[in-house]
Amino acid sequence: MTPSLEVRGLAYAYPDGTQALYGVDVTIGRGERVALLGPNGAGKTTLVLHLNGILHGGLGEVRVGGLAVDPKDKKSLREIRRRVGIVFQDPDDQLFMPTVREDVAFGPANLGMRGAELDGRVESALARVGMLEVAGRPPQHLSFGQRRRVAVATVLAMEPEILVLDEPSSNLDPASRRELAEILLGLDVTVLMVTHDMPYAAQLCPRSLILSGGVIAADAPTADLLTDEDLLRAHRLELPFGFDPAAARR
Ligand SMILES: Nc1ncnc2c1ncn2[C@@H]1O[C@H](COP(=O)(O)OP(=O)(O)OP(=O)(O)O)[C@@H](O)[C@H]1O
Ligand SMILES: [Mg+2]
């Protein structure tokens, strides 16, 4: 089966000369849930921004469901942007319409979807994140946790090949954090989740990557990574007080 994501030899320097990625190789199979861990400045967001061609121009290649990300080919880039659903850290970066319904409809409508088909797509995306009842409200009137869920719905409405979440649990209260975990566990989609929340990685992702200094420093079952104290220390990763990573082993 074609993997959802293949990254080969990806290297990238920002225009000011800062080298952020030094040759990243990652393959994620269809239906996998993978956490992307790593200290501040490791290159996680830089990697994510390559997955749908927002950043490009370095070395290496990215394929999504077998299709190469080619920023020069506008038609294939549209398809890549449908296949890669990125939920940004700040939901306000992706919600801008007068109502929640219009925000969720925006992407599929852009693809030409109309009428009952569009309505059905919007309702099912909102239902999957438990936000159907706020469909008619302005996104700005929702709580932060509700807006994050709606942001997930905007991406699900595109029926992506891979759902990429940048810090999904940040700024959520414990109940919202748990509810989002339940939603993500219930989705039948490939997930790549950038997070500093180790218990979240342990709960949601059987496999984790450590990106450190622009290279993949580890790629293993999450419980193995989180119980390797030397590895964690080497990459400035710390477990929260009282959290037992061995409990994550099933
Ligand atoms: N626009 C930019 N111009 C120049 N350098 C940048 C730019 N954005 C990021 N960098 C640099 O690239 C490197 C990787 O940054 P990146 O934002 O990808 O890290 P990150 O792993 O997402 O960190 P965090 O956990 O803090 O979000 C860092 O050295 C950072 O300073
Ligand atoms: Mg980042």
Side-chain angles (χ1 to χ4, degrees):
M1 196 158 55
T2 313
S4 285
L5 180 68
E6 295 164 278
V7 178
R8 290 285 158 264
L10 189 66
Y12 181 76
Y14 281 98
D16 71 353
T18 306
Q19 186 85 29
L21 301 176
Y22 284 86
V24 169
D25 294 288
V26 173
T27 301
I28 298 181
R30 194 156 282 172
E32 272 197 282
R33 280 195 310 275
V34 180
L36 181 60
L37 313 175
N40 291 140
K44 302 180 298 295
T45 298
T46 306
L47 173 58
V48 165
L49 295 177
H50 276 84
L51 303 185
N52 71 357
I54 297 177
L55 286 180
H56 54 85
L59 300 174
E61 67 164 8
V62 177
R63 285 178 177 271
V64 182
L67 179 64
V69 178
D70 176 1
K72 291 185 294 294
D73 180 347
K74 293 290 171 242
K75 192 155 163 272
S76 83
L77 199 58
R78 268 171 74 93
E79 172 61 11
I80 289 290
R81 296 213 163 139
R82 187 196 66 74
R83 291 187 188 191
V84 180
I86 302 183
V87 179
F88 293 102
Q89 183 163 350
D90 185 351
D92 297 336
D93 288 344
Q94 58 202 125
L95 303 177
F96 48 87
M97 297 296 278
T99 66
V100 165
R101 178 183 287 107
E102 287 165 282
D103 255 323
V104 178
F106 184 83
N110 248 341
L111 296 177
M113 198 175 278
R114 296 286 181 273
E117 191 188 10
L118 180 60
D119 294 344
R121 186 70 80 90
V122 169
E123 284 185 13
S124 104
L126 283 171
R128 286 162 90 187
V129 300
M131 286 285 103
L132 201 48
E133 60 280 13
V134 303
R137 294 178 60 192
Q140 317 84 268
H141 292 184
L142 302 178
S143 75
F144 185 89
Q146 290 172 320
R147 273 178 297 172
R148 176 152 297 148
R149 287 197 201 192
V150 171
V152 173
T154 63
V155 163
L156 290 179
M158 301 295 275
E159 297 191 344
E161 170 77 34
I162 181 166
L163 178 62
V164 181
L165 302 133
D166 201 348
E167 285 290 328
S169 64
S170 65
N171 300 315
L172 296 185
D173 66 32
S176 302
R177 178 180 172 283
R178 177 184 50 73
E179 286 162 5
L180 184 62
E182 286 162 5
I183 289 164
L184 294 174
L185 281 170
L187 296 176
D188 181 18
V189 59
T190 310
V191 171
L192 178 64
M193 183 175 102
V194 176
T195 190
H196 296 289
D197 182 339
M198 305 295 160
Y200 224 50
Q203 182 187 358
L204 290 170
C205 301
R207 173 183 167 204
S208 288
L209 311 169
I210 296 178
L211 185 66
S212 186
V215 297
I216 299 290
D219 178 351
T222 305
D224 291 356
L225 287 190
L226 297 188
T227 48
D228 187 337
E229 291 175 25
D230 294 336
L231 179 71
L232 295 182
R233 199 173 307 114
H235 301 291
R236 291 179 53 82
L237 299 174
E238 295 185 9
L239 302 175
F241 179 74
F243 173 65
D244 175 11
R249 242 183 251 287
R250 280 168 253 263

